[in-house]
Amino acid sequence: LVRQAWDQWPIDAVFPMIYHNFYDEDLAWIGEATQEGVAALPAGTPLYSGLYLPSLTPAELAGAVHLALHGGASGIATFEINRLSDVHLAYFSQAVRQ
């Protein structure tokens, strides 16, 4: 993976860009990459999975959020905010409640 050594830096939180489509991976990879990142961090350092909205339909966003949270993410961050639609938000809200 292309990634900075943020797991070795004395920082309060990380927001890695877990862009599955950049690596030609499926949605399941988001959970796997999140788990790997969480495991690499010192205990107590939160990881917020960065998701790339242009590559996610609203339904896929819900799945990606679910995978990230179940992979140990403390939350998510979205990139390309201009793509965030009301439909995305509805699916996002549903995913967070699960």
Side-chain angles (χ1 to χ4, degrees), residues 17-19 21-22 49-57 61 76-86 88-89:
M17 297 173 185
I18 302 180
Y19 297 174
N21 64 312
F22 285 27
S49 296
L51 305 177
Y52 188 61
L53 284 179
S55 69
L56 297 166
T57 66
L61 174 61
I76 62 124
T78 58
F79 294 86
E80 187 57 39
I81 196 67
N82 291 329
R83 300 281 177 118
L84 186 62
S85 68
D86 289 339
H88 277 102
L89 288 172

Side-chain angles (χ1 to χ4, degrees), residues 28-62:
W29 182 81
I30 293 170
E32 296 163 10
T34 299
Q35 278 186 319
E36 181 182 312
V38 169
L41 289 169
T45 303
L47 179 145
Y48 299 91
S49 296
L51 305 177
Y52 188 61
L53 284 179
S55 69
L56 297 166
T57 66
E60 289 171 335
L61 174 61

